[in-house]
Amino acid sequence: SRPGYRHVVFAPRPPAGIEWARASVDGPLGPTSIAWQIETGGDLSVDIVLPFGASGSFIAPATEESEIVCDEIPSDQEVTLGPGSHRLSVTSPRISGAG
């Protein structure tokens, strides 16, 4: 990321056996956070918050079967994010350490 959390790269890599995680940091522009969860059907849902003045990139843990949606819009494996709250989903995500 750039100095002062002006551009943050989010690249979650869910491991087998862990169903959710969240992290946040209070940077000079304000709070930046990510929370992800493996849903009952196996899809990954992600909530990201970026403060005003910041940008971000989301790099999905995708497989060949994955579909990525950001704020209800089909997206590529790497998504550019502006300030605010974002909801992303990844179907058939890559799970680290899974069979």
Side-chain angles (χ1 to χ4, degrees):
S1 66
R2 291 189 198 134
Y5 295 94
R6 292 190 184 282
H7 185 84
V8 180
V9 177
F10 300 93
R13 298 295 177 255
I18 297 185
E19 296 180 2
W20 64 272
R22 66 177 160 241
S24 64
V25 63
D26 286 326
L29 298 176
T32 299
S33 66
I34 182 172
W36 62 258
Q37 176 175 323
I38 301 295
E39 301 292 345
T40 303
D43 295 346
L44 175 68
S45 65
V46 182
D47 291 300
I48 291 174
V49 177
L50 288 164
F52 181 76
S55 63
S57 297
F58 173 77
I59 302 170
T63 61
E64 289 183 13
E65 296 82 31
S66 294
E67 294 180 12
I68 297 125
V69 175
C70 177
D71 299 328
E72 301 183 11
I73 299 169
S75 301
D76 294 327
Q77 185 171 352
E78 186 167 342
V79 181
T80 301
L81 304 169
S85 297
H86 303 280
R87 165 65 56 105
L88 302 105
S89 65
V90 181
T91 63
S92 303
R94 181 175 313 281
I95 304 297
S96 301

